[in-house]
Amino acid sequence: MPVFNLKKYYLEAKILIFPSLYEGLPNTLIEAVNYNLPCISSRCSGAVDILSNRYGIFISNNQSIQLSNKMVDSILNYKKTLSNTQMIKKKLSRFLIKPQVLKYTKHEQTKTNTHMQQKQTLHKTNTHKQHNRAPK
């Protein structure tokens, strides 16, 4: 599929079916959840991390009857399905770049502050020792 604005498709759809066998980070699932689109997914790598065992709807690979049952169940219980999607969406921030960068830089800043405090303490200790050794 050529790259273009998929927003209108996400907004028109009622459910995303994601039957991948293998994935790295399934960006399609992240995008769908951000558009409040419920997802039914295989348990490929990354999908469980995004959808979670608690709120996600999962299918086994190559199980078309199971998939159709999950689709019918999701449509019949659409309010609950949407509610679960909202819960998934609340936890998606861990996949955003900015919070991860802030977490890293905060960690690095804490390390730097700790290092500076240790250097100051060492300097004070050495200064105190030198002062006490000075001839009177």
Side-chain angles (χ1 to χ4, degrees):
M1 179 179 274
V3 177
F4 55 93
N5 187 357
L6 297 174
K7 180 179 180 177
K8 77 175 199 171
Y9 297 103
Y10 284 120
L11 294 174
E12 290 177 8
K14 297 297 178 204
I15 294 176
L16 174 81
I17 309 299
F18 195 78
S20 289
L21 297 175
Y22 306 101
E23 283 293 328
L25 178 62
N27 289 319
T28 301
L29 289 177
I30 295 171
E31 291 171 356
V33 170
N34 276 317
Y35 283 108
N36 301 312
L37 183 60
C39 303
I40 299 174
S41 177
S42 60
R43 288 190 175 274
C44 61
S45 60
V48 176
D49 295 324
I50 293 166
L51 300 178
S52 82
N53 281 316
R54 183 172 183 182
Y55 299 111
I57 304 169
F58 295 101
I59 54 170
S60 301
N61 293 337
N62 303 313
Q63 298 295 316
S64 57
I65 293 172
Q66 182 187 41
L67 172 59
S68 64
N69 289 338
K70 297 277 185 170
M71 290 170 66
V72 169
D73 185 57
S74 296
I75 291 168
L76 292 176
N77 300 296
Y78 200 67
K79 281 187 179 182
K80 183 178 187 321
T81 304
L82 282 173
S83 175
N84 286 346
T85 302
Q86 289 299 314
M87 297 305 290
I88 294 166
K89 187 175 181 178
K90 286 180 182 180
K91 299 189 179 289
L92 277 184
S93 64
R94 66 182 185 261
F95 295 102
L96 299 175
I97 292 172
K98 187 174 181 178
Q100 297 305 319
V101 169
L102 289 174
K103 186 168 48 172
Y104 175 78
T105 55
K106 183 178 178 184
H107 175 73
E108 287 300 311
Q109 185 62 45
T110 301
K111 281 176 39 180
T112 301
N113 289 345
T114 302
H115 182 71
M116 292 296 289
Q117 289 170 349
Q118 289 172 343
K119 283 178 74 173
Q120 288 172 350
T121 301
L122 183 60
H123 178 71
K124 286 178 185 176
T125 303
N126 288 340
T127 302
H128 182 71
K129 285 179 182 177
Q130 289 173 359
H131 179 70
N132 286 339
R133 281 193 227 156
K136 294 183 182 182

